Amino acid sequence: MMDRPLLISGIIEHAATVSAGTEIVARRIDGSTHRYGYAEAARRCRQLANAIVRLSIADGDVVGSLAWNTHQHFELFYGISGTGAVLHTINPRLFDDQIVYIVNHAEDRWLFLDATTLPLAERLAPQLETVRGWIYMGAPGELPDSALPGLLSYEDLLAAEGDDYDWPEFDERKASTICYTSGTTGQPKGVVNTHRSTILSTLYMSTADMIGGYAAGATDTVMPIAPMFHGNGWQMVYTAPAQGQRMVLPGRNFEPEKLYEQMVAERVTLAAGVPTIWLALVDLLKRERLPMPPTLRVALTAGTKAPPSLLRTLREEYGLGCRQTWGMTEALGVTKASPPPGSADAAPEVQEALSLRQGRMGFLAELRLVDDQGRPVPHDGESQGHLQARGPCVAAGYLKQDPVAVDGWLPTGDIARIHADGSVEIVDRAKDVIKSGGEWIPSVQVEAAAMDHPDVAQAAVIGVPHPKWQERPLLLVVPRAGAAQDADAIRAHLAGRIAKWWIPEEIRFVDELPMTATGKIHKVTLRERYGDPLKAAE
């Protein structure tokens, strides 16, 4: 058999050859729409590659991007990585000191910016020790006055280059992209993907079994609402061109009104985002009495455990298939959303239980559970333990750090159950489990039960010190607009849904919950604000 390297450049050239006219529809930062086919996208990627060479960006150099889901950002994934350089996607929502840390830690040589991130780059530039050049991704002829020295125009760079470029061949284990974890505790950690791992995860995540709802090629119009700096837009920057799917990019507009407008106008069939995105969309539909976008068939969600009430609403009120998967920056696409064989004819309560799990163990991935002493825990759907992963698309460690894998397995930081059919049920983050009277209370299950109450818009549970029980749960609730703030009613609602001793003695109503840069509730901040010992009666 031929031995050909697995390289990312092969994806965009394949799309240009067999899906030349299939569209990428992208919102620009100014709200206007850019449309082009995969053949034109590939041509611009080759122009970018020529510009990268002309800028003396060498093989292995790291190039950063502070940008949103635009067509220009999409091009960086091929025009940079395809040359042998490494694309470092940076989350603009991170705190300033975190961005400074990761740019310096990754040793970014150049930074690509857009109109929303230019002020951020200008503010941080004096602290960025390794950056030697800046490129502004705007419209042709648009180059704002800036304090950044020698700011270049992305479009001018491309216009000066031809589209004839021979993608180099090199070791498929060479780094392709770097993505840093969100760093809710300590500094963010860099996860380095290789060309090999990216191609393998793309192949796996392109299978119909992955989503349980993919259609063939351009029959699907997919929309990665997950930002491109979150696990490469959940790998859709690769899977969509690999499959020839029409792709819709929301630019900077993640507001539910803008997403809804784009879904309807572009006839989106499959969209992917964290649960908070879908909660906001459902809230819009109910508030404005709007129908679900008529072409939408599948809602993919991951990143954190989806509230059962959300899944039920999407399924029963809007007839939408909602698929959950589990993954992390360190392990992209290790579970699949399709239900186990034979479940299509199962009783409704069985199908309901399956929908609440976070996918099934995927091809090319292995998952296991261990107890606190590292001993294996059975996959019986009842026992729970520390979730570990291994496989060719799983990180063994972090950039410039010693490997963290234990006996070849990556500790994920999650507490989970694994069922006999390979389906995964996340119980909680290990650091968020509440230890009360020697037993565990999973915060996510209490939160999910609270979210089922019609007056609750958001809920978060943290453990706070208790004089007798070591810790007890504190429930923080953001009420729906106009709803009563009735703690007793919420406790009554929780009774029968969760164990009696899990029910919080104290419930506090708050205006909002702090969020991380990846759209998750920031429990470190909650513990700082509300972590005083409970004074309630024992």
Side-chain angles (χ1 to χ4, degrees), residues 415-471:
I415 303 296
R417 302 183 188 96
I418 299 179
H419 294 254
D421 60 11
S423 57
V424 180
E425 186 178 356
I426 300 299
V427 175
D428 211 343
R429 292 290 292 168
K431 61 189 177 186
D432 293 335
V433 168
I434 300 162
K435 298 177 177 63
S436 185
E439 300 290 341
W440 283 356
I441 299 176
S443 66
V444 292
Q445 290 185 237
V446 182
E447 291 164 355
M451 288 284 291
D452 266 341
H453 193 284
D455 291 342
V456 176
Q458 283 184 295
V461 173
I462 59 171
V464 293
H466 190 277
K468 179 178 180 180
W469 301 115
Q470 182 185 356
E471 281 188 321

Side-chain angles (χ1 to χ4, degrees), residues 37 84 91 244 339 470 509 520:
N91 185 344
Q470 182 185 356
F509 294 92
K520 303 174 187 177

Side-chain angles (χ1 to χ4, degrees), residues 138-169:
E142 177 190 353
L143 187 63
D145 292 333
S146 173
L148 296 176
L151 181 65
L152 301 176
S153 162
Y154 181 84
E155 292 298 330
D156 288 351
L157 282 175
L158 265 61
E161 301 295 342
D163 61 4
D164 185 14
Y165 180 82
D166 291 327
W167 299 106
E169 290 191 359

